[in-house]
Amino acid sequence: MNATSDARTTRIARLTPYAVVGAPALMALYGGIRLVPGSRAPGPGWTAGHAAMFAGLLLFVPVLLALYRRLAPRGTAGRVGAGAALGAAFAGLLCSLAQIGVDLVVGLVAADKAEQSRLFDRVQGVPGVLPAVYQVGPLLFYVGLLALLTAAAAGRSRALPWWSPALVLLGTLATGVDLALIPLAAACYLLALAPLARPAAAPRAALA
C-alpha cells in the first residue's frame, strides 16, 4: 500500500512541472484562437481551440492532486475540508470537460453557424444539461481550486505564497467580465501555480 502510494506520488511529482506550464499555455492558446476571425464557427479554428482547451483541462488533474498533497491535512476537519475542496474541483473539472467535449462534437458535426446554433439549442434543451454543464457545474472547479490554493497559502502551511490564490481569483474574474481576457487569465494561472513546480517541502497541516 505504501509502495503504491509512493509510486503515485512520484508520478504526480514528475508530471506537475509540465502540467503547471502546459495547462495555462493551452488555455492561452484557446483564448488566442478565439480572437481569430471565423474561429467561433465550425471549422479548423473552432476544433483546434477547443481541443487545446480540453487538453489543458486534463492537465489540471495532476495540478489539483499536487496541490492537495501539499496540504497533507491532519484531523477530521482538515481531511474533510481538503477532500471537499478537491472533490468540488474535480466535479467542476468534469463538467468543464463535458462542456468542451460537447462544443467539440457540435463543431465537428455542424455544417455552418446556423446548424451549430440549432445543435447547441437541442443539447442545452435537455433537462439538467444547461445548469450542470454550462452554468453551475463548471464553477465548482474554480471554487475548489481557490479553496485549495487559499488553504495552501494560509495558516501554518505556507506551501504557496499569498498571491497565488489572489492571481487565480483575478484571472477567473477577468474571464467572467470578457472571454477575450482568457490569455490574461492564463498568465495569472501560470504565475499562481508556478511554485508547485518546485519540489515540495515537508508539508504541514493547513486545514487542521
Side-chain angles (χ1 to χ4, degrees):
M1 183 67 176
N2 289 337
T4 302
S5 179
D6 289 344
R8 187 182 302 114
T9 301
T10 300
R11 286 195 297 270
I12 293 171
R14 288 174 178 172
L15 283 172
T16 299
Y18 301 102
V20 161
V21 175
L26 289 167
M27 180 179 171
L29 178 60
Y30 166 70
I33 291 175
R34 282 189 83 257
L35 301 177
V36 177
S39 64
R40 300 185 196 180
W46 177 276
T47 301
H50 284 78
M53 188 62 179
F54 193 91
L57 288 172
L58 286 177
L59 286 177
F60 272 104
V61 172
V63 170
L64 291 173
L65 292 174
L67 187 53
Y68 176 78
R69 289 181 180 279
R70 293 290 178 103
L71 299 180
R74 292 180 299 187
T76 301
R79 287 192 293 271
V80 169
L86 183 65
F90 272 123
L93 187 60
L94 285 173
C95 292
S96 298
L97 286 166
Q99 179 186 144
I100 298 298
V102 169
D103 292 352
L104 264 172
V105 172
V106 168
L108 289 170
V109 171
D112 52 34
K113 185 70 174 177
E115 186 180 2
Q116 182 185 43
S117 297
R118 288 194 297 271
L119 289 172
F120 275 131
D121 289 342
R122 187 182 306 170
V123 171
Q124 294 173 9
V126 176
V129 169
L130 194 59
V133 178
Y134 285 91
Q135 295 175 335
V136 180
L139 295 178
L140 293 174
F141 168 67
Y142 302 103
V143 171
L145 176 60
L146 278 169
L148 290 170
L149 286 167
T150 301
R156 293 171 295 172
S157 175
R158 302 296 183 186
L160 293 176
W162 66 266
W163 40 261
S164 285
L167 281 173
V168 167
L169 178 60
L170 175 63
T172 302
L173 292 176
T175 59
V177 172
D178 192 338
L179 291 178
L181 297 177
I182 288 176
L184 172 62
C188 290
Y189 278 45
L190 176 60
L191 291 174
L193 298 174
L196 284 175
R198 298 196 299 266
R204 290 170 289 178
L207 296 176

